[in-house]
């Protein structure tokens, strides 16, 4: 009986300690999660990043998304599963804030862009998840996604709460449409490009092409899993390189034909 009482007391002590840690973690997250509706909570959450990054974010955070962009100087690492690839990178809080600001500005350039918060919730004390639906462009322009924030459990020690941000999304057409649109998907991916990136560099224009092509393949009813994401990326890159090589060849040939026409030359007279 004495042993049972001691065990029960130890269990109660352990539970109290766990509850204290959970309460501390809850307080850290709840300092940022406030307001009425899920949409309003998400707006408060986002505004906090922009207005008080030192309070909301750790000095360096882990950021991941399905598009292979480099948002900072840190190495980009691929985390692969059979169905998808996520690209993870350590970025500073300043780089994350600039990314959010740039993305919001780029979204305004998408025709008819709207974003609806489907749900905002905390499944556990150190996790906040925002599920959202975005639509833009034609009937094939839409995406269902989520953004997961991992929180520290120290109540904001070292000047921040968020330690990890993970974004995922899948392109889904608007209600009534049958297929996603490649160019609408491409525009959305380009809107997430690094701030100030040169659109002509392969590191800028290839990642959105690869992801849009992969999503288009998955959306095909005849797709049966013959290719995984990494294999499709290789195929897409080869197709893009071949397209540019062909375009350059055609342009050079057209220039030569124009030169001959302007100078009244022909192969018959040896020009």
């Amino acid at each position: 009986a004495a042993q049972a009482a001691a065990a029960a007391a130890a269990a109660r002590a352990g539970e109290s300690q766990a509850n204290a840690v959970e309460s501390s973690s809850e307080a850290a997250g709840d300092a940022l999660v406030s307001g009425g509706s899920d949409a309003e909570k998400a707006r408060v959450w986002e505004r906090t990043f922009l207005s008080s990054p030192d309070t909301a974010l750790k000095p360096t955070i882990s950021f991941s998304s399905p598009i292979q962009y480099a948002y900072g100087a840190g190495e980009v690492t691929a985390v692969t599963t059979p169905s998808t690839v996520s690209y993870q990178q350590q970025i500073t809080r300043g780089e994350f804030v600039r990314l959010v600001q740039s993305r919001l500005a780029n979204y305004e350039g998408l025709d008819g862009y709207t974003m609806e918060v489907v749900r905002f919730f905390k499944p556990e004390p150190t996790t906040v998840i925002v599920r959202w639906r975005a639509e833009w462009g034609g009937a094939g322009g839409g995406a269902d996604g989520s953004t997961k924030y991992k929180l520290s459990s120290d109540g904001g020690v070292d000047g921040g709460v968020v330690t990890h941000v993970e974004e995922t999304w899948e392109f889904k057409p608007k209600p009534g449409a049958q297929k996603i649109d490649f160019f609408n998907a491409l525009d959305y991916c380009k809107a997430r490009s690094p701030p100030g990136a040169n659109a002509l560099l392969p590191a800028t224009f290839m990642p959105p092409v690869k992801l849009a092509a992969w999503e288009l393949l998955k959306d095909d009813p005849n797709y049966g899993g013959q290719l995984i994401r990494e294999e499709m990326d290789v195929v897409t890159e080869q197709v893009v390189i071949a397209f540019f090589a062909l375009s350059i060849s055609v342009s050079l040939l057209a220039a030569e034909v124009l030169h001959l026409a302007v100078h009244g030359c022909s192969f018959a007279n040896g020009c």
Side-chain angles (χ1 to χ4, degrees):
Q3 289 179 343
R12 285 193 299 271
E15 183 178 351
S16 298
Q17 183 176 5
N19 289 338
V21 172
E22 180 174 325
S23 297
S24 173
S25 180
E26 284 279 5
D30 287 341
L32 299 179
V33 183
S34 61
S37 67
D38 284 358
E40 178 59 27
K41 289 179 182 179
R43 283 192 292 270
V44 170
W45 184 260
E46 188 172 79
R47 283 197 300 267
T48 304
F49 292 148
L50 301 179
S51 62
S52 306
D54 293 350
T55 302
L57 306 167
K58 288 293 186 179
T60 301
I61 65 172
S62 175
F63 179 79
S64 64
S65 81
I67 189 166
Q68 193 180 4
Y69 275 139
Y71 294 108
E75 181 183 2
V76 179
T77 304
V79 181
T80 306
T81 68
S83 59
T84 188
V85 178
S86 179
Y87 296 96
Q88 184 171 317
Q89 183 181 31
Q90 297 293 319
I91 63 176
T92 67
R93 63 162 68 109
E95 288 167 340
F96 179 74
V97 170
R98 288 191 292 274
L99 166 60
V100 173
Q101 292 172 332
S102 173
R103 192 166 60 190
L104 292 175
N106 291 339
Y107 286 158
E108 293 181 1
L110 296 178
D111 181 35
Y113 178 82
T114 61
M115 197 277 282
E116 175 190 1
V117 175
V118 177
R119 192 179 177 199
F120 185 100
F121 64 106
K122 294 180 68 176
E124 56 187 30
T126 57
T127 302
V128 170
I129 296 177
V130 182
R131 290 182 179 161
W132 46 266
R133 166 72 183 173
E135 293 185 354
W136 67 94
D144 294 330
S146 69
T147 305
K148 179 188 293 186
Y149 301 89
K150 296 297 292 184
L151 313 177
S152 63
S153 58
D154 55 21
V157 174
D158 295 331
V161 173
V162 176
T163 62
H164 179 89
V165 181
E166 177 185 349
E167 296 187 327
T168 59
W169 68 86
E170 287 189 340
F171 292 108
K172 299 290 184 183
K174 295 176 183 176
Q178 298 300 317
K179 295 182 179 181
I180 66 173
D181 180 85
F182 173 80
F183 292 102
N184 278 329
L186 185 62
D187 287 342
Y188 182 79
C189 293
K190 287 164 60 179
R192 289 174 170 264
S193 62
N198 188 336
L200 299 179
L201 293 178
T204 304
F205 71 75
M206 279 303 303
V209 172
K210 289 179 179 179
L211 182 56
W214 169 247
E215 291 286 342
L216 192 68
L217 175 66
K218 290 197 305 177
D219 192 52
D220 190 329
N222 296 319
Y223 172 66
Q226 297 88 343
L227 292 176
I228 62 173
R229 167 75 191 273
E230 287 183 310
E231 293 171 336
M232 183 60 183
D233 283 354
V234 173
V235 172
T236 302
E237 187 169 353
Q238 292 173 342
V239 170
V240 171
I241 292 173
F243 172 79
F244 277 107
L246 179 61
S247 299
I248 293 172
S249 299
V250 170
S251 298
L252 292 175
L253 178 60
E256 181 65 19
V257 170
L258 180 62
H259 172 78
L260 294 174
V262 168
H263 292 82
C265 298
S266 67
F267 293 107
N269 61 23
C271 292

